[in-house]
Amino acid sequence: MKKTKTVSFLLAVIFVQVGLLSCEKEWHPNGPGNPHNPGDPVVTTRRFYIDNNGSDSSDGLSPNTAWKTLAKVNSTTFQPGDSVLFKRGNSWTGPLIIKSSGSADARITFGAYGSGDKPRIVGNNSTLSAVLIQDARYLTFENFDVSHPRAVRPPDISLCGIYVALATNGVYPGIAIKNNHIHDVEGMPITNRHMQAGIFVRSNSAQAYFDSLRIEGNKLERCSSRGIMMGDGSNKDTTFYNNNIVIRQNVVDSSALEGIIVYTSKNVLIEHNRVLNAGAYTLGVNMNIVLAGLWGRGKNMTIQHNEVAYTRLTNPVPYTSMDSEAFDIDLGTPGYTIIQYNYSHDNEGGFFLHMGDPGPDFTYGIVRYNISQNDGNGFNNRVFELHPHPNGKVVPIHIYNNTIYNTTKIGVLDRAGGTGVHPGLEFRNNIFYSPVLQFDDQANILYNNNLYYQGLKAASDSNALTANPLLVAPGTGGSGINTVNGYKLLPGSPAKGAGALISNNGGWDFFGRPVPAAQPPAIGAAENGN
């Protein structure tokens, strides 16, 4: 992906939407030794009900005395422990504005009651988002249907579904966005793209950041520009990066650009998500832009157990042969990035993009125990796209124990057409399974102890295996990360016990079986056994 300038357009909308709330209570961590799972303590003091047939003149404290409008909710400051419950099967035209904070032992919850469909919040096109959560702490937003459709085609304004924003310096812990259906967010896909997503999380203040924020269990469909986006592409002092971020168990299908993208965050865990059809939701706009399915420019990121499929690049001029991979280690990436245990298939641009120079604060990248099936078929079967390293810079990226399958060809291709150099990249213990194999820059990239079948091996791989790995049923992976048992090893596979020892190998294979630490592992993503 390319570096982008911060887009400031529509920032004033934030202040139009809501009066700012300042909360200076000191935060103490809430989970014993586990910042990625702080829990959801709830001490209910009051329950407020909202019903299309209610009355704002009532007290709102029972279904029979429910409030009616978003205006009433927006003007109320809720207290720690309160629940604000919208009746299922009802619909409101937004924006819904939330500006209250809970506490570590008494969260505020916005949710649903009754039976039937999730309560619907529909954006009104006059504000950036259908739902705005501003300067909140310890708050859960769950079980809503959120949309922001646009009648104009192509769309001419910027729109979001749920916008979680900060405008006042400080730390804001404990936000959870859970089990919502966000769909038909129809903003302009390209213009102001860094301010648009189904779920958009952003700090507008230099020293404000989220801590222990979770986005989980949501379904996002037809979102422009992104599905889930943390940050806006701008640079920021890493001291004030969003911290301990978890994005898990979400389904993102059909976005204009990335399905999930993370900026200005550290200690990030992205797991058990499905990202499908990134780049497909163009709304009639020419998409002369590059994208990848799931990636981030965060510090110390782990991306695991995800399925990314069908990433595409629509109207690619002038980017005819760039990007559209499942995953990316990008320019300006600090710390480490680990990409492991993922299933990538049918992404037009390939499995993995390396942009060449992640920057001076990058420490290392690891790409291990992933399965790639028929990636890169839209770009000359390029499974790996490697941009050259400036001035021969050594960039440590270790790519090992992956199983790469393609019915036609597998290419590890230099973006510069074969003239670029990429010192620091290492390919070890991988299975490359295709009739044709192409490996660029063998003078600078380490190829060692890989298994090649059926195409010719990397000439520089002096410890190569060239034999049928005896996979159970290669090429039979379908829709879903649980459909890839065909990439396990049959009895008698030459890949068993043939791998080189790699320290700190993560401990597990793709299928959750232990990987030995003191004896040779198998080659590929599957350890011994079926």
Side-chain angles (χ1 to χ4, degrees), residues 67-246:
W67 293 336
K68 182 175 183 177
T69 69
L70 295 185
K72 180 66 174 179
V73 177
N74 295 347
S75 63
T76 303
T77 299
F78 297 98
Q79 302 301 315
D82 285 351
S83 294
V84 185
L85 306 176
F86 289 71
K87 189 173 182 179
R88 291 180 177 270
N90 283 199
S91 179
W92 292 262
T93 298
L96 168 61
I97 298 171
I98 300 170
K99 52 182 180 179
S100 301
S101 288
S103 63
D105 56 359
R107 302 176 65 83
I108 290 176
T109 299
F110 277 70
Y113 78 99
S115 59
D117 295 337
K118 289 179 168 67
R120 298 187 301 276
I121 308 295
V122 182
N124 62 9
N125 290 180
S126 64
T127 54
L128 178 61
S129 59
V131 176
L132 173 65
I133 301 172
Q134 176 81 51
D135 284 1
R137 295 174 169 92
Y138 297 109
L139 184 139
T140 297
F141 184 87
E142 60 184 357
N143 297 320
F144 285 87
D145 179 301
V146 178
S147 62
H148 210 158
R150 177 74 171 152
V152 175
R153 290 291 181 274
D156 60 353
I157 57 176
S158 300
L159 299 174
C160 293
I162 301 171
Y163 182 18
V164 188
L166 299 179
T168 307
N169 285 345
V171 54
Y172 294 81
I175 299 294
I177 309 298
K178 301 167 52 181
N179 303 325
N180 302 287
H181 183 200
I182 301 101
H183 60 96
D184 298 294
V185 179
E186 299 178 345
M188 173 61 76
I190 297 300
T191 303
N192 209 32
R193 66 187 184 275
H194 292 309
M195 287 290 290
Q196 299 185 87
I199 300 174
F200 180 29
V201 181
R202 182 179 190 266
S203 171
N204 305 304
S205 181
Q207 297 184 11
Y209 63 95
F210 297 95
D211 200 299
S212 301
L213 180 143
R214 287 177 296 151
I215 300 172
E216 57 187 12
N218 301 283
K219 182 177 182 179
L220 299 101
E221 300 177 287
R222 301 178 300 278
C223 292
S224 177
S225 291
R226 274 79 179 219
I228 298 171
M229 180 165 63
M230 294 281 305
D232 60 8
S234 61
N235 294 322
K236 188 176 184 179
D237 183 344
T238 57
T239 303
F240 301 104
Y241 267 26
N242 304 311
N243 188 32
N244 297 326
I245 304 302
V246 176

Side-chain angles (χ1 to χ4, degrees), residues 189-190 222-227 254-258 277-283 287 289 291 312:
I190 297 300
R222 301 178 300 278
C223 292
S224 177
S225 291
R226 274 79 179 219
S254 297
S255 52
L257 297 173
E258 288 79 3
N277 298 299
Y281 192 57
T282 63
L283 294 170
M287 297 286 289
I289 196 68
L291 63 127
R312 67 189 72 180

Side-chain angles (χ1 to χ4, degrees), residues 402-481:
N402 303 282
T403 296
I404 312 297
Y405 173 89
N406 193 289
T407 56
T408 305
K409 174 185 175 181
I410 293 171
V412 180
L413 303 184
D414 164 45
R415 173 65 190 156
T419 62
V421 299
H422 314 83
L425 271 64
E426 300 180 354
F427 286 83
R428 301 176 185 265
N429 293 356
N430 302 285
I431 292 176
F432 296 104
Y433 192 127
S434 186
V436 179
L437 304 173
Q438 178 179 341
F439 302 97
D440 284 356
D441 192 23
Q442 296 189 43
N444 294 284
I445 298 173
L446 175 67
Y447 296 91
N448 189 44
N449 221 92
N450 301 291
L451 187 153
Y452 306 86
Y453 181 79
Q454 305 149 326
L456 296 177
K457 75 179 186 72
S460 63
D461 192 339
S462 57
N463 295 303
L465 286 182
T466 55
N468 188 335
L470 298 180
L471 303 178
V472 170
T476 60
S479 178
I481 200 169

Side-chain angles (χ1 to χ4, degrees), residues 386-404:
L386 309 178
H387 286 234
H389 298 186
N391 302 314
K393 178 179 178 178
V394 175
V395 179
I397 297 180
H398 311 286
I399 302 166
Y400 62 87
N401 283 100
N402 303 282
T403 296
I404 312 297

Side-chain angles (χ1 to χ4, degrees), residues 149-392:
R150 177 74 171 152
V152 175
R153 290 291 181 274
D156 60 353
I157 57 176
S158 300
L159 299 174
C160 293
I162 301 171
Y163 182 18
V164 188
L166 299 179
T168 307
N169 285 345
V171 54
Y172 294 81
I175 299 294
I177 309 298
K178 301 167 52 181
N179 303 325
N180 302 287
H181 183 200
I182 301 101
H183 60 96
D184 298 294
V185 179
E186 299 178 345
M188 173 61 76
I190 297 300
T191 303
N192 209 32
R193 66 187 184 275
H194 292 309
M195 287 290 290
Q196 299 185 87
I199 300 174
F200 180 29
V201 181
R202 182 179 190 266
S203 171
N204 305 304
S205 181
Q207 297 184 11
Y209 63 95
F210 297 95
D211 200 299
S212 301
L213 180 143
R214 287 177 296 151
I215 300 172
E216 57 187 12
N218 301 283
K219 182 177 182 179
L220 299 101
E221 300 177 287
R222 301 178 300 278
C223 292
S224 177
S225 291
R226 274 79 179 219
I228 298 171
M229 180 165 63
M230 294 281 305
D232 60 8
S234 61
N235 294 322
K236 188 176 184 179
D237 183 344
T238 57
T239 303
F240 301 104
Y241 267 26
N242 304 311
N243 188 32
N244 297 326
I245 304 302
V246 176
I247 302 174
R248 66 157 63 103
Q249 295 178 336
N250 303 282
V251 177
V252 184
D253 191 350
S254 297
S255 52
L257 297 173
E258 288 79 3
I260 300 175
I261 185 169
V262 173
Y263 297 114
T264 56
S265 300
K266 59 187 177 183
N267 303 318
V268 178
L269 177 64
I270 305 175
E271 64 176 3
H272 299 289
N273 302 282
R274 300 186 74 205
V275 174
L276 311 173
N277 298 299
Y281 192 57
T282 63
L283 294 170
V285 175
N286 290 329
M287 297 286 289
N288 294 334
I289 196 68
V290 289
L291 63 127
L294 189 166
W295 66 280
R297 201 180 289 159
K299 180 179 182 180
N300 302 342
M301 296 180 57
T302 299
I303 300 170
Q304 63 183 14
H305 304 294
N306 304 284
E307 177 190 9
V308 182
Y310 313 115
T311 303
R312 67 189 72 180
L313 184 60
T314 304
N315 298 326
V317 176
Y319 305 110
T320 305
S321 59
M322 292 181 64
D323 295 34
S324 299
E325 286 82 7
F327 304 102
D328 172 14
I329 292 181
D330 205 67
L331 303 169
T333 299
Y336 64 77
T337 296
I338 299 174
I339 300 170
Q340 60 186 7
Y341 315 129
N342 300 286
Y343 172 37
S344 169
H345 64 98
D346 302 290
N347 297 286
E348 284 189 352
F351 162 58
F352 177 68
L353 167 64
H354 164 47
M355 280 297 296
D357 184 8
D361 298 322
F362 181 73
T363 53
Y364 62 86
I366 292 176
V367 181
R368 65 187 174 198
Y369 288 100
N370 302 283
I371 293 173
S372 166
Q373 176 179 288
N374 290 327
D375 283 323
N377 289 349
F379 293 83
N380 193 31
N381 307 106
R382 177 193 65 206
V383 178
F384 294 84
E385 179 185 354
L386 309 178
H387 286 234
H389 298 186
N391 302 314

